[in-house]
Amino acid sequence: MTRSIPEPSAWTPTRRRVLAAGAGFGLALPFVAAPAFAAPGRKKFVLVILRGAADGLSMTPPVGDPNYVALRRELALTDEALRLDGDFGLHPELKTVHRLVGAGQGRIAPAVAMPERIRSHFEAQDRLESAAGDDISSGWLNRALASLSGKTEAEGLSVGPVAPLVLRGEVPTASWSPGRAVEAQARLPMLVQDLYGDDPVLGAALARGLKTEALAQANIARLAPEAGGDLSAAETARLTRTLMGDSREAAGRLGGTVAGFMQEGAATDLVAISLDGFDTHANQAGALAGRLAYLDAMLGGLKDGLGAGWGETVVLVVTEFGRTARINGTQGTDHGTASTALLLGGGLKPGGIIGDWPTLQEARLFENRDLAPTADLRSLFKGVLAEHMGVDRRALDTTVFPDSATAPPILGFV
């Protein structure tokens, strides 16, 4: 069952409005420094999907909202939050994100949602990734690639156990699942190549998959300083399997490996990364801290791995919906509405929050339980695709996000 969220004009923001332009977070000037830009090159976009409905009120705690502590009680993050200004902070595990914000390379959108009101994880994820109503035959990131066809040589890559819907569609893309290593001399790939190598569809897909796997193993070997980057196939396979672990080291190597796909010569420009484990109905504090530490380390590995390419990169971290404003009886939170999106990258303009803060006043909670959304996620997606990747506005409104002219792109942050 779905119910439409009111149009943005009906969300009645009250506290402050800082739509992607103008004021910074109110920090000292040395803290909000201008970002360092790399030499001009191919624009790159990384979409990170936090599956399970990540709690935005813990990712970016609204420390200045007088209702926050009363609603969240034991889950409230106050003194331990990494302060952005007097109104917002970051979860203490998001140390890399905090440094990026301080360098003018990070922004937060603390109250965003898709237009449909859905409480099912799977249906909400489909809507997030297709952004085309009930039509889930393709994803908006694949349709964006299609709109760029002939204008650039942009290529797409999905990272995760399953290729996400957001990159499925008519444009061929690569996929890579961390932890699955393919031996260079393994018998199965050679047999499959013999069977399907000449097939115009399957042969091309197989060649793309083998190329992706070979590049992944080369990237992993490069990230092994203890071996000087010179690993045997068995050692590379072992190290590949460690990327499935939950440690910060594994996450950093995963980010560095993804960066390797995006280096000059690899030519991957649009990447979708799926991270699971954000459904925190019980004992949220410990579980969420672990997942955010993993996210933070992965982002750090990605930035370091890209080097100068970070200056041409935008990273958008989103989730399918948020969690309830009130803590539940099992020290967790339940399915909600608005959540936080993180916008990171070397090409961002420094500034404040994206969207409005609706406050946590009881009268302003959505359905008397959730943080109310003040920005449409599609508008955020459109802003990145238009300003950073050069996707045409008409294509955004009609084909990338069908029938979405009422959700204009949020501009001015890249």
Side-chain angles (χ1 to χ4, degrees), residues 11-102:
W11 287 341
T12 57
T14 60
R15 186 168 175 82
R16 66 178 184 177
R17 184 170 185 82
V18 195
L19 264 181
F25 273 109
L27 303 171
L29 185 60
F31 188 69
V32 183
F37 290 89
R42 293 173 62 146
K43 301 291 187 180
K44 302 177 187 302
F45 175 43
V46 179
L47 177 72
V48 182
I49 301 176
L50 308 182
R51 298 188 183 278
D55 179 31
L57 293 177
S58 292
M59 289 174 64
T60 53
V63 292
D65 193 303
N67 299 285
Y68 172 61
V69 173
L71 288 168
R72 280 305 177 94
R73 305 198 313 269
E74 297 91 337
L75 291 183
L77 297 168
T78 52
D79 294 341
E80 62 270 51
L82 304 174
R83 292 298 181 109
L84 298 175
D85 63 1
D87 292 322
F88 290 95
L90 286 169
H91 190 283
E93 293 294 346
L94 294 177
K95 298 179 179 65
T96 297
V97 175
H98 189 247
R99 288 193 293 271
L100 290 172
V101 173

Side-chain angles (χ1 to χ4, degrees), residues 7 13 29-30 45 95 97 135 147 184 200 360 373 403 405:
E7 289 296 316
L29 185 60
F45 175 43
K95 298 179 179 65
V97 175
D135 182 3
S147 74
L360 293 172
D403 303 316

Side-chain angles (χ1 to χ4, degrees), residues 13 38 50 95 101 128 149 169 193 201 203 231 237 266 281 383 385 387 404:
L50 308 182
K95 298 179 179 65
V101 173
L128 172 71
S149 179
Q193 199 164 18
V201 176
L231 297 181
H281 288 282
L385 292 175
E387 289 197 311
S404 68

Side-chain angles (χ1 to χ4, degrees), residues 19-21 349 379 382-384 386-387 393 408-414:
L19 264 181
K349 295 177 181 176
S379 295
K382 285 183 176 183
V384 174
E387 289 197 311
R393 172 67 187 276
I410 298 175
L411 303 173
F413 49 78
V414 295

Side-chain angles (χ1 to χ4, degrees), residues 160-379:
V162 178
L165 171 60
V166 73
L167 258 179
R168 296 182 207 161
E170 67 178 51
V171 179
T173 61
S175 63
W176 177 61
S177 178
R180 296 179 184 175
V182 177
E183 296 283 352
Q185 301 302 319
R187 183 173 174 80
L188 182 58
M190 290 189 290
L191 289 173
V192 175
Q193 199 164 18
D194 286 343
L195 286 171
Y196 300 117
D198 295 330
D199 187 283
V201 176
L202 297 178
L206 175 62
R208 189 163 52 248
L210 292 175
K211 176 184 176 182
T212 300
E213 184 60 37
L215 185 58
Q217 294 192 40
N219 293 335
I220 291 166
R222 177 178 54 83
L223 293 170
E226 68 274 11
D230 184 16
L231 297 181
S232 68
E235 289 170 327
T236 302
R238 177 192 59 76
L239 192 56
T240 302
R241 287 189 291 271
T242 68
L243 296 180
M244 295 295 285
D246 291 330
S247 69
R248 292 188 70 97
E249 180 184 13
R253 279 183 166 162
L254 174 61
T257 301
V258 172
F261 286 110
M262 307 176 75
Q263 297 286 6
E264 282 300 322
T268 298
D269 306 291
L270 289 88
V271 177
I273 302 174
S274 296
L275 298 182
D276 294 322
F278 290 88
D279 194 12
T280 51
H281 288 282
N283 303 315
Q284 175 173 299
L288 185 60
R291 297 312 294 153
L292 291 179
Y294 187 93
L295 168 67
D296 193 70
M298 190 272 290
L299 293 171
L302 177 67
K303 176 186 181 297
D304 293 344
L306 283 170
W310 178 251
E312 300 294 331
T313 302
V314 168
V315 180
L316 184 56
V317 182
V318 299
T319 193
E320 68 262 32
F321 50 72
R323 308 196 72 83
T324 49
R326 298 180 182 88
I327 187 175
N328 65 23
T330 57
Q331 298 298 299
T333 53
D334 299 317
H335 297 176
T337 303
S339 190
T340 290
L342 303 176
L343 191 65
L344 312 166
L348 294 185
K349 295 177 181 176
I353 71 167
I354 297 171
D356 305 329
W357 179 242
T359 82
L360 293 172
Q361 295 178 40
E362 186 171 349
R364 297 190 178 276
L365 295 180
F366 186 76
E367 297 186 345
N368 193 37
R369 52 174 279 161
D370 304 335
L371 176 67
T374 64
D376 189 323
L377 265 174
R378 296 174 303 170
S379 295

